[in-house]
Amino acid sequence: MSTTPTALLVHGAFADASSWAGVVEELQGHGIPVVAVPNPLRGLASDAAYIASAAAQIDGPVVLVGHSYGGALITVAGATENVVGLVYVAAYIPEEGESLGELQGRFPLAPLVANLVERTYPVEGGEPGVEVTIAPDAFPGIFAADVPAEATRILAVAQRPLATAAFTETPPVAAWKTRPSWAVVAAADEAINPEVQRFAAKRAGATITELDGASHAVAVSRPKDVAAVIRDAVRLTS
């Protein structure tokens, strides 16, 4: 069993695990074991259970890293026994019993909210579910303003939708109360108001790194900076 924590990376909405590619490369270059898991994006309870299961099946300690909506998931999955730290990247950090809608409702809404496109999807034995993506023409400026345009054009049409239930479900636990945490605040984020990020990170007692000019896609545009925070978390929890 390794004593060096494995960094388990959890992507957020409108993205997939490949969004961590630059961060993975940086971590592997420093000898840190890393896993980037697929996030189902179907709802907080089921998604957090999936992440918790993935963490529990890793031999040795785990540092959970969550981007965006993934932050809400690691807040719950972080209660898994072998999780030793949490890293939030341009992320939601909810309190126990607080929905994401309630958290972001404390501050002016980011431009993302007015640029979501709703669609339905089939749910076995029930009414169709509702999921959202970002309008493709608005995607570059809202999600990835500091990423090259040729890349954002691909990202815009390859979005993975998020079930709207994720905004209303509430976490039964807030693992940051019992685990050390770190937070990367993307200061130019147009998807999650940076004030939401700062408020929640401070409330969680996280060690905060703020990146000026960083968009919501900070893991893509600033992988070295994001990886440096994760390396600190791994080092301090080893």
Side-chain angles (χ1 to χ4, degrees), residues 7-210:
L8 180 59
L9 313 182
V10 183
H11 67 83
F14 322 124
D16 60 29
S18 69
S19 61
W20 292 111
V23 174
V24 169
E25 183 178 12
E26 288 291 320
L27 295 176
Q28 289 179 335
H30 285 82
I32 295 173
V34 57
V35 177
V37 293
N39 180 348
L41 302 177
R42 295 296 84 182
L44 192 150
S46 62
D47 294 345
Y50 183 91
I51 301 306
S53 176
Q57 294 178 70
I58 292 174
D59 289 334
V62 170
V63 169
L64 283 179
V65 183
H67 173 247
S68 189
Y69 164 64
L73 303 186
I74 71 170
T75 294
V76 178
T80 306
E81 185 176 358
N82 63 327
V83 173
V84 294
L86 308 169
V87 180
Y88 294 93
V89 180
Y92 291 112
I93 313 176
E95 168 66 281
E96 179 180 335
E98 177 184 59
S99 72
L100 300 189
E102 291 169 336
L103 172 55
Q104 69 180 11
R106 294 171 177 267
F107 299 91
L109 295 177
L112 169 76
V113 178
N115 287 278
L116 293 175
V117 178
E118 288 191 357
R119 295 185 177 87
T120 60
Y121 63 94
V123 176
E124 185 176 356
E127 294 294 318
V130 179
E131 61 186 16
V132 290
T133 55
I134 304 171
D137 60 340
F139 183 94
I142 287 175
F143 196 89
D146 56 351
V147 175
E150 59 270 22
T152 62
R153 286 194 291 269
I154 297 170
L155 296 174
V157 300
Q159 295 179 62
R160 291 191 56 219
L162 174 67
T164 56
F167 292 104
T168 56
E169 292 184 59
T170 59
V173 63
W176 47 260
K177 293 182 176 181
T178 56
R179 306 290 193 276
S181 61
W182 290 258
V184 176
V185 173
D189 200 328
E190 296 287 328
I192 300 177
N193 186 337
E195 288 299 323
V196 173
Q197 299 175 41
R198 294 184 190 105
F199 164 79
K202 183 176 180 180
R203 180 177 64 180
T207 299
I208 300 171
T209 298
E210 183 153 340

